Amino acid sequence: IESAHRLAVDYDLLRAKALLALRFPTAIRPERHQKRLALRDAFHPLLYLHHKSQQKKVQPLGVSLDDAGRILVISGPNAGGKSVTLKTVGLMQLMYQTGLLLPAKEGSQMRTFRKLMVDLGDEQSIENDLSTYSSHLTNMRRFCEQADGDTLFLIDEFGTGTDPHLGGPIAEAILERLTAQGSYGVVNTHYSNLKLLPTRLLGLQNGSMGFNTDTLEPKYVLEMGKPGSSFAFEIAGKIGLPADVILAAQKKLQAGTQDVEQLLVQLE
């Protein structure tokens, strides 16, 4: 009876995996690679199923992590899809390592990782007397201590929660450490110093979420190889913040940061 029960559970699991795969437009078994993670036209599985029920379209994702660019630094506007992109990579990895077919196109490649380390959301704790930033730093300490070449890490809103003049350099030093340890990862950020880091540090690459500068609407498309502006002033103007307030804010911006942001807006 026990043997028959184990067999029934195994078949039930296989059937559940197959039924899930049938709900996606494509469901593939990606090629196995030793050192590369490459997703072609992949969908966030839950977002796709949710939008499908509402007859809404979901933009596919294309992302690649390899020796030349093991760590992807994603920048761009708020509500542009940075967090969804990061979570898609994480879910694809978990699906792959649990034997699920991936909602992506043929030609996608995946590798296995022994560790998956994640820092998402607000983890402040009254019980443990941890602020938002302290909880993030606690996770970063674990990342620095335990991450290696067999680790995939995901960090959302990297460096936020404290004074940007302090949070930025700390985040940069942590990213340099994780790069030196050979880890793979995806981080989201608005910090200009992190956007510039891939230009001088081997193993890092930039990515940005597309933005329509005419309509000031996000495209929800990841563009590999370049950093993106946060378009903070443009979005503030669209929302209706008084023009004199926006102008005053622009004047208060430090020259170096302003130059970088203006350059990114012009590039877009």
Side-chain angles (χ1 to χ4, degrees):
I1 292 172
E2 288 177 354
S3 177
H5 177 262
R6 284 195 296 270
L7 188 61
V9 170
D10 288 342
Y11 277 125
D12 189 52
L13 178 59
L14 285 171
R15 182 174 181 273
K17 290 180 177 181
L19 289 174
L20 177 63
L22 290 172
R23 298 176 68 185
F24 299 128
T26 58
I28 62 147
R29 179 185 177 185
E31 303 168 19
R32 182 165 184 172
H33 199 279
Q34 294 296 321
K35 295 185 177 182
R36 191 162 187 252
L37 185 157
L39 292 169
R40 294 187 56 213
D41 290 346
F43 292 98
H44 185 295
L46 300 178
L47 185 65
Y48 174 81
L49 294 175
H50 179 264
H51 277 35
K52 183 181 179 182
S53 67
Q54 299 182 343
Q55 297 183 336
K56 291 165 65 176
K57 186 179 179 182
V58 179
Q59 288 288 353
L61 165 72
V63 61
S64 176
L65 305 178
D66 52 31
D67 275 340
R70 300 188 312 275
I71 300 173
L72 174 63
V73 180
I74 305 177
S75 49
N78 283 316
K82 296 191 299 296
S83 294
V84 171
T85 298
L86 182 143
K87 291 175 182 178
T88 301
V89 173
L91 279 171
M92 292 291 110
Q93 190 63 42
L94 286 173
M95 291 176 72
Y96 174 68
Q97 293 196 204
T98 51
L100 292 167
L101 298 182
L102 306 189
K105 278 194 174 179
E106 293 289 350
S108 297
Q109 297 175 319
M110 299 292 286
R111 57 154 292 181
T112 56
F113 292 96
R114 193 166 54 88
K115 302 175 187 175
L116 180 60
M117 310 186 78
V118 181
D119 182 62
L120 288 172
D122 184 350
E123 297 296 333
Q124 64 177 321
S125 169
I126 296 175
E127 183 178 324
N128 296 323
D129 195 25
L130 284 177
S131 68
T132 300
Y133 188 61
S134 296
S135 68
H136 288 314
L137 282 183
T138 301
N139 286 336
M140 293 306 101
R141 187 199 73 211
R142 294 194 189 102
F143 285 24
C144 289
E145 291 173 350
Q146 301 175 21
D148 54 25
D150 208 10
T151 299
L152 175 66
F153 66 86
L154 308 172
I155 307 175
D156 197 27
E157 297 296 341
F158 194 26
T160 57
T162 189
D163 184 337
H165 296 295
L166 305 176
I170 292 173
E172 184 174 337
I174 291 170
L175 201 53
E176 289 174 343
R177 173 70 174 267
L178 293 172
T179 305
Q181 291 173 184
S183 303
Y184 286 65
V186 181
V187 303
N188 296 340
T189 188
H190 288 287
Y191 285 170
S192 295
N193 65 312
L194 297 184
K195 299 176 189 179
L196 297 174
L197 193 57
T199 63
R200 61 178 177 80
L201 191 60
L202 191 65
L204 288 173
Q205 60 176 322
N206 269 311
S208 66
M209 304 309 298
F211 193 72
N212 189 320
T213 54
D214 295 325
T215 63
L216 297 182
E217 295 286 345
K219 298 178 182 177
Y220 304 112
V221 175
L222 176 64
E223 299 175 355
M224 298 286 291
K226 67 173 186 177
S229 169
S230 297
F231 292 96
F233 294 126
E234 290 78 7
I235 293 174
K238 183 186 177 185
I239 288 174
L241 201 66
D244 59 326
V245 173
I246 296 175
L247 184 61
Q250 288 175 324
K251 289 180 180 178
K252 293 176 184 296
L253 196 64
Q254 288 186 357
T257 305
Q258 189 171 10
D259 291 344
V260 172
E261 282 297 309
Q262 287 179 348
L263 178 61
L264 293 175
V265 170
Q266 290 167 8
L267 282 171
E268 187 68 36

